[in-house]
Amino acid sequence: MNYPWQQTQWQKVQLQQQADKLPHALLLVGAEGLGKLDFALQLAHSLLCQNQSSDGSACGVCSSCKLLEVDTHPDMFIVQAEDRGKAIKVDEIRQLSASFTLTSQFGGYKVVVIVDAHDMNINASNSLLKTLEEPVSNSILILVSSNPQKLPITVRSRCQLIPFTIPESAQAIKWLEEQGIGQSGELLSLAHGAPLLAMQLKESELLENHLLLIQSLLSVARAQPLVGLAEQLHKLPLSYMLNWLYDWIQDLIKLHQCGNQADLVHDAYRSELAKLVDRSSIQSLYEYQDQLIKHKQLQSIPLNTQLLWEDLLLSWHKQLKRV
Ligand SMILES: [Zn+2]
């Protein structure tokens, strides 16, 4: 079944399908952690199932569903980069386009799901464009992307956009609790409201990494030596760490601007943050944030992340007034 926050999108495509008006290409967009790929796969299964239920979901027992279960359905294609974050290359799209033009083996739809479609390199996008310009009947392309701005406008404009948004927090918390996940409010806040990301935080070591970051920032604020801390931090996943550090600074800026009523990502550390607000100026916080944005925008991981962390912790220390 779809996630509760995807009902509107699901009903929309079901209505289009029933009216035989499903477009040849769909582009599923929205933040990470909202289940877009699960939605794409469910839609693909639903289109290929020979005995669809009334709500559009796949039956799970027909011969198509059985083949989908073991990833061997001849009319279902999944394209993704070899490694996450690497480019999807032109050969992969060419192969796909070649098999896509053949008639479907089951006599129904042929479905392609492109995972992280924004990872297609320029040649791959151009090759896909040809397929988009000359659609084959009964074929559906489902592109999934959390970063659609990276896709050429020529590709985007040929797809029907299906946006996914962050659910109401009450709905997300209810869902997380149904999955047996405690501390759901805090997790959801760290995941910027994306329920699957919140679940991933709970299930991985990321939450401990987050704790280590916050403890390090508080230690540096107490003028503890920072080299040892940088040595620990540099081994942790950089993109998450930079995002949380950004959130931490953003929380301080919000406290400057809105006082204690501010809505904080690090609500659990409100009293610690409140003390730090008095020691920082909004100007220096903005400058620190600019520094973080530059690091976040770097495409590749810097060679020496230990030095990077020493630098970040030193800047954090410098912009705090001593007590
Ligand atoms: Zn079925």
Side-chain angles (χ1 to χ4, degrees):
M1 240 358 249
N2 294 106
Y3 300 111
W5 56 89
Q6 300 182 332
Q7 296 311 314
T8 319
Q9 291 89 336
W10 185 254
Q11 278 156 15
K12 183 176 175 182
V13 290
Q14 288 310 316
L15 287 174
Q16 286 184 313
Q17 197 197 337
Q18 283 157 18
D20 209 13
K21 283 189 177 152
L22 202 58
H24 286 290
L26 302 170
L27 174 56
L28 277 46
V29 299
E32 295 257 354
L34 297 178
K36 299 183 299 299
L37 181 56
D38 290 332
F39 185 97
L41 294 174
Q42 270 172 4
L43 177 60
H45 287 202
S46 145
L47 292 169
L48 294 169
C49 171
Q50 294 157 318
N51 192 18
Q52 230 183 46
S53 320
S54 56
D55 65 354
S57 54
C59 75
V61 291
C62 69
S63 54
S64 257
C65 283
K66 288 287 174 208
L67 288 171
L68 286 166
E69 207 176 282
V70 289
D71 296 328
T72 52
H73 198 294
D75 299 324
M76 167 87 187
F77 306 87
I78 297 180
V79 181
Q80 58 191 331
E82 251 171 68
D83 288 310
R84 202 144 192 236
K86 293 264 169 66
I88 299 175
K89 300 194 185 102
V90 65
D91 285 347
E92 295 164 61
I93 300 293
R94 273 198 200 120
Q95 266 176 19
L96 161 83
S97 311
S99 28
F100 210 44
T101 48
L102 305 171
T103 8
S104 100
Q105 303 217 13
F106 271 67
Y109 280 106
K110 295 184 76 129
V111 186
V112 175
V113 174
I114 306 185
V115 184
D116 291 333
H118 50 264
D119 284 337
M120 281 189 291
N121 66 20
I122 189 73
N123 292 336
S125 297
N126 284 336
S127 176
L128 182 74
L129 198 57
K130 286 187 199 126
T131 313
L132 287 170
E133 281 165 344
E134 296 156 21
V136 187
S137 63
N138 276 359
S139 67
I140 307 275
L141 278 158
I142 309 173
L143 282 68
V144 181
S145 178
S146 56
N147 197 358
Q149 301 87 329
K150 267 182 83 183
L151 282 167
I153 185 94
T154 43
V155 168
R156 268 185 285 156
S157 63
R158 281 172 175 82
C159 302
Q160 178 186 300
L161 206 65
I162 303 191
F164 290 80
T165 50
I166 298 288
E168 296 274 333
S169 70
Q171 187 183 48
I173 286 173
K174 180 168 176 270
W175 181 83
L176 284 166
E177 280 166 1
E178 281 164 7
Q179 315 308 310
I181 291 174
Q183 289 175 278
S184 49
E186 191 191 343
L187 286 166
L188 201 60
S189 178
L190 288 178
H192 290 204
L196 300 182
L197 201 56
M199 190 149 94
Q200 203 186 330
L201 289 177
K202 181 73 180 181
E203 286 168 354
S204 63
E205 290 169 354
L206 287 170
L207 212 53
E208 287 159 38
N209 297 346
H210 173 259
L211 187 62
L212 192 63
L213 172 69
I214 302 304
Q215 284 170 343
S216 303
L217 293 171
L218 293 173
S219 296
V220 171
R222 290 193 299 267
Q224 304 281 324
L226 52 83
V227 178
L229 298 171
E231 202 177 307
Q232 286 185 302
L233 293 176
H234 95 278
K235 296 173 190 150
L236 309 180
L238 188 62
S239 63
Y240 280 102
M241 302 296 279
L242 287 178
N243 281 337
W244 285 326
L245 181 50
Y246 184 91
D247 290 342
W248 179 261
I249 302 300
Q250 184 69 22
D251 280 347
L252 284 169
I253 292 174
K254 282 191 205 158
L255 284 169
H256 263 287
Q257 288 172 331
C258 315
N260 209 22
Q261 305 303 313
D263 199 9
L264 303 179
V265 169
H266 295 94
D267 199 45
Y269 297 91
R270 191 175 281 271
S271 63
E272 285 88 345
L273 284 162
K275 284 178 208 150
L276 292 169
V277 167
D278 298 334
R279 295 175 55 194
S280 59
S281 77
I282 196 151
Q283 183 57 32
S284 64
L285 289 169
Y286 277 131
E287 282 165 18
Y288 192 45
Q289 247 186 354
D290 285 344
Q291 189 187 347
L292 289 171
I293 290 170
K294 279 183 198 134
H295 288 302
K296 272 159 58 119
Q297 283 169 343
L298 286 180
Q299 292 295 319
S300 55
I301 293 175
L303 284 176
N304 194 330
T305 44
Q306 160 107 23
L307 275 183
L308 169 71
W309 276 106
E310 283 176 20
D311 188 34
L312 288 172
L313 292 176
L314 188 63
S315 306
W316 163 242
H317 180 250
K318 274 190 190 158
Q319 62 96 40
L320 289 173
K321 280 181 227 126
R322 294 201 191 149
V323 279

